[in-house]
Amino acid sequence: MIWNYKELFIRGIWVTLALTLVGYIGGIMLGLLIGLGKLSKKKWIYYPSKYYVDFFRGTPLLVQILLIHLAVIPTIFGQSLGYFVSGATALMLNCAAYNAEIIRAGIQSIDKGQMEAARSLGMPHKLAMRHIILPQALRRMIPPFGNELIALLKDSSLVTVIAANDLLYAGKIVAGAYNRFWEPYITVAVLYLFLTFLFTRVIAYTEKRFSNSYVPRQRRRMFTFGRPTGGSS
Amino acid sequence: MIKIENLYKSFGDLEVLKGIDYEVKEKEVICVIGPSGSGKSTFLRCINLLEEITAGSVYIDGVKVNDPNTDINEVRKEVGMVFQQFNLFPHMNVLDNITISPRKVKGMNPTEAEELAIQLLEKVGLKDKAKAYPEQLSGGQMQRVAIARALAMQPKIMLFDEPTSALDPEMVKEVLDVMKQLAFEGMTMVVVTHEMGFAREVGDRIIFMDQGYIVEEGTPEDIFVHAKNERTKAFLSKVL
């Protein structure tokens, strides 16, 4: 039964992955801008950023998806641009709000002495942010970004309501065709679990790669070599 | 070289500096001493505008630092600063810590910046640590790198904010020695410190601050031997 529809499920996996990744990457870039906006002292930057986050965190994603698909996009473009554009846009805008908070908190967690040192060396604020603060802050953001990725993967199932043929949609089709619910939805659940498992592994690897020490592995070895005072292992 | 006129600084309701007037001449080494909370560090941080100035003015080479039309980044290129907590950039090795500012701010080419960095590392005795990361260094080494980093901008003035206060006692000397050498070479320096021996030996003038005022000022002998003010005497009797 499920096997007959395997292509639908495989396509569902790709659609789910594509929606998640497009939404996520767009969400990080937009989130960075909004996160920095929330740290701005300029009111005309701060307040729009704040209201953006308040709106997208304060309203259900499902409502946002419907609003964008049925109201915003048809109004701007005069027609629907398809479920993918609407879905990815909604996920991106929503994800950006959460990422903005992660980015704001990450930046604020960096000791203020870092910014002071950079500024005292004559670096303008932007330059210091880019070369000194963000590289350090981004590392600290990796675990919450990982959570966000997995949350987004699961939330992407909501685009089913605008008839996106994602993973959940495949399950619904099969359920409708056979009027059975256990098999299709268990399959969907297992496939989501499989995807989140994959993501978890990637995140764990990334976390490990960027945690603890700033010292690159090879170079560390070079320094403990023959000079015990050089490295603090 | 540095002229401070009627400088006031408050944090909210708390008045930290209550009218400071002072002038630092070229090549002078000024040591600022005084009890905690006396405003020493704030005073220092107002010079390169790390703290916003509430009232009064600071001039460096005749340029009013707290003028809205002054590009503070230009001023800061001329004024190096060394912090109590070192504030090295942990994600860069020693060489990059030193070269980033000359490269990104002054547009110096990387080879030139690297040569300069190696020279400065030699000066602070850490040439072999060029590729090490801050976390691999001891406190004394970190502070010496921080001094080299500030010097890489080739400043005319160096500010030191309790540079040895966060160090283990056995590492204080290596940092003070670098500072001494710097003073000897004619750098204009303002040093907030609790190292009375250093202040006495290296300082051209000593400022004693308490409760937001400069209570007494003079040569090391004036302050350490012939202090006139009761508060100065009381403070020195506790720390000497």
Side-chain angles (χ1 to χ4, degrees):
Chain A
M1 171 175 96
I2 299 295
W3 195 248
N4 295 338
Y5 283 87
K6 66 177 186 300
E7 266 153 35
L8 200 58
F9 281 101
I10 288 167
R11 184 170 165 76
I13 289 177
W14 286 116
V15 170
T16 291
L17 277 178
L19 280 170
T20 306
L21 292 180
V22 171
Y24 189 65
I25 290 164
I28 284 188
M29 290 190 295
L30 185 60
L32 184 61
L33 289 181
I34 293 165
L36 289 172
K38 274 199 82 173
L39 290 166
S40 177
K41 280 183 191 144
K42 297 187 184 94
K43 282 189 176 142
W44 60 275
I45 298 180
Y46 171 79
Y47 280 105
S49 311
K50 178 179 162 16
Y51 292 142
Y52 179 93
V53 173
D54 288 351
F55 177 79
F56 280 96
R57 286 206 311 181
T59 54
L61 178 55
L62 188 53
V63 175
Q64 293 164 18
I65 291 170
L66 290 171
L67 204 55
I68 285 167
H69 185 64
L70 301 174
V72 176
I73 287 188
T75 306
I76 295 176
F77 297 97
Q79 61 181 63
S80 167
L81 299 177
Y83 73 87
F84 193 87
V85 173
S86 308
T89 306
L91 290 176
M92 177 184 92
L93 294 178
N94 184 270
C95 182
Y98 287 93
N99 285 343
E101 286 299 290
I102 293 173
I103 285 159
R104 181 192 57 75
I107 289 171
Q108 282 178 334
S109 77
I110 301 299
D111 180 59
K112 72 176 179 26
Q114 290 289 314
M115 182 54 99
E116 286 181 353
R119 297 305 305 274
S120 80
L121 288 164
M123 285 189 208
H125 186 270
K126 266 188 200 159
L127 200 67
M129 195 50 102
R130 184 167 136 218
H131 291 287
I132 308 302
I133 307 300
L134 281 179
Q136 297 180 55
L138 284 171
R139 269 168 186 268
R140 297 195 187 170
M141 296 172 197
I142 289 171
F145 272 156
N147 286 339
E148 188 53 33
L149 177 60
I150 288 172
L152 190 70
L153 175 74
K154 292 182 294 178
D155 288 348
S156 74
S157 62
L158 290 169
V159 298
T160 288
V161 299
I162 55 171
N165 53 351
D166 73 322
L167 189 48
L168 178 59
Y169 193 73
K172 275 174 79 173
I173 295 284
V174 177
Y178 289 92
N179 201 23
R180 290 185 67 98
F181 301 101
W182 274 100
E183 296 89 344
Y185 287 122
I186 287 288
T187 309
V188 168
V190 168
L191 288 173
Y192 271 113
L193 197 60
F194 168 70
L195 291 179
T196 51
F197 173 76
L198 280 185
F199 280 17
T200 312
R201 294 306 293 261
V202 173
I203 293 161
Y205 172 79
T206 316
E207 269 183 42
K208 206 173 162 190
R209 166 77 179 71
F210 288 104
S211 69
N212 302 325
S213 171
Y214 283 105
V215 186
R217 276 251 173 81
Q218 299 87 333
R219 279 188 227 177
R220 173 192 287 250
R221 207 172 294 137
M222 197 167 83
F223 270 89
T224 46
F225 178 72
R227 283 197 73 87
T229 47
S232 63
S233 63
Chain B
M1 190 151 212
I2 309 175
K3 200 168 166 213
I4 294 145
E5 281 177 353
N6 206 21
L7 171 64
Y8 281 83
K9 170 68 189 174
S10 340
F11 295 102
D13 290 338
L14 182 69
E15 229 179 12
V16 179
L17 298 178
K18 303 165 187 169
I20 304 276
D21 287 283
Y22 203 76
E23 195 167 347
V24 181
K25 296 188 191 72
E26 203 175 340
K27 300 196 173 185
E28 262 186 337
V29 176
I30 311 293
C31 290
V32 187
I33 61 171
S36 311
S38 58
K40 311 184 292 287
S41 287
T42 308
F43 166 68
L44 195 71
R45 291 161 59 87
C46 283
I47 296 176
N48 67 349
L49 222 61
L50 279 186
E51 299 294 351
E52 228 168 277
I53 291 170
T54 308
S57 352
V58 173
Y59 297 89
I60 291 179
D61 272 343
V63 177
K64 188 175 175 187
V65 171
N66 56 326
D67 187 311
N69 296 320
T70 302
D71 181 357
I72 187 62
N73 295 318
E74 288 300 316
V75 175
R76 285 174 179 154
K77 285 184 200 171
E78 309 289 336
V79 185
M81 186 162 197
V82 174
F83 299 84
Q84 183 175 354
Q85 297 299 336
F86 329 129
N87 296 346
L88 290 184
F89 308 135
H91 57 302
M92 298 178 182
N93 67 23
V94 165
L95 207 57
D96 291 338
N97 259 282
I98 299 174
T99 59
I100 182 151
S101 218
R103 280 189 291 122
K104 299 291 175 194
V105 177
K106 282 186 167 175
M108 196 183 273
N109 79 53
T111 343
E112 207 179 322
E114 208 156 294
E115 274 166 28
L116 173 67
I118 297 287
Q119 247 175 47
L120 289 168
L121 281 174
E122 206 157 351
K123 185 174 182 156
V124 300
L126 289 170
K127 205 180 156 197
D128 55 329
K129 299 290 185 209
K131 297 283 179 195
Y133 278 74
E135 66 187 80
Q136 296 170 311
L137 303 177
S138 70
Q141 292 171 331
M142 283 199 262
Q143 195 59 298
R144 285 186 282 154
V145 172
I147 294 173
R149 179 178 70 176
L151 291 175
M153 289 301 280
Q154 296 163 312
K156 293 183 193 151
I157 299 167
M158 284 284 281
L159 308 176
F160 292 86
D161 190 2
E162 303 198 26
T164 58
S165 297
L167 296 177
D168 290 341
E170 73 267 27
M171 293 170 182
V172 168
K173 188 171 175 292
E174 62 189 57
V175 172
L176 292 182
D177 283 347
V178 170
M179 292 168 63
K180 258 183 228 174
Q181 189 197 345
L182 209 56
F184 180 73
E185 289 167 5
M187 177 64 78
T188 308
M189 291 162 58
V190 183
V191 185
V192 171
T193 187
H194 292 295
E195 295 292 330
M196 297 303 151
F198 174 85
R200 198 166 180 167
E201 187 190 334
V202 184
D204 293 310
R205 318 233 12 131
I206 310 293
I207 296 176
F208 173 71
M209 283 185 70
D210 193 20
Q211 293 171 11
Y213 297 100
I214 292 182
V215 175
E216 200 166 355
E217 179 279 338
T219 63
E221 186 168 311
D222 291 341
I223 302 292
F224 289 109
V225 187
H226 309 295
K228 294 185 197 78
N229 191 288
E230 285 309 317
R231 274 192 281 173
T232 318
K233 284 184 200 166
F235 174 75
L236 289 172
S237 71
K238 281 180 217 153
V239 296
L240 285 182

